[in-house]
Amino acid sequence: MNFARRSGLPGVDAENPIALTVTGRVSRAVVPDLCAELERALAGPRGAALAPGAAVDCDVGGVVRPDLTLVEAVARLGLVARRSGRTLRLRRVPPELRSLLDLVGLADVVTLAEDPAEDPAERVPDAR
């Protein structure tokens, strides 16, 4: 399980300098670490510069086997973002996670970014 702050996600507004990347298998033990990382990012100078209500991006495209532990992590990250007056926007959401978020009623609580593959301007050129 890896997570990190990044600032170069495609399609992220220049006004939104905070982005978390979550990859691998998410275990219950790392959920508090994810929340602490987001709290630190929001408390720092980059987080303070965000406009009220701005979205914090969380790239979950590299997550392996989305399950209810990941849903818990998303819910808790969403709470951290809301406490600071921000919203959580998930990017590159696997279909399994979308289904789980719908099932537990969290799809309306967090913002699910559209799939960049659907937008021709966001597509990564084929390496062939």
Side-chain angles (χ1 to χ4, degrees):
M1 158 62 228
N2 297 319
F3 58 94
R5 273 186 289 178
R6 291 184 31 194
S7 61
L9 285 175
V12 176
D13 300 330
E15 297 175 3
N16 183 8
I18 296 178
L20 294 176
T21 301
V22 181
T23 60
R25 178 81 188 216
V26 177
S27 69
R28 185 160 269 159
V30 301
V31 174
D33 294 335
L34 284 169
C35 292
E37 177 68 20
L38 181 56
E39 286 172 348
R40 280 190 298 274
L42 290 168
R46 296 175 82 188
L50 288 177
V56 174
D57 287 311
C58 183
D59 182 343
V60 291
V63 172
V64 177
R65 292 179 38 205
D67 57 10
L68 289 177
T69 303
L70 178 59
V71 171
E72 177 187 357
V74 166
R76 290 182 60 188
L77 288 169
L79 284 173
V80 169
R82 281 183 176 222
R83 283 187 200 126
S84 70
R86 313 299 187 257
T87 59
L88 183 69
R89 177 172 47 203
L90 298 180
R91 295 200 170 267
R92 299 184 338 124
V93 183
E96 299 89 355
L97 179 57
R98 282 182 187 268
S99 297
L100 285 170
L101 291 171
D102 283 336
L103 181 68
V104 299
L106 285 178
D108 296 333
V109 175
V110 297
T111 303
L112 302 178
E114 294 301 317
D115 185 7
E118 295 173 4
D119 183 4
E122 296 291 324
R123 288 191 186 139
V124 176
D126 194 0
R128 289 184 246 171

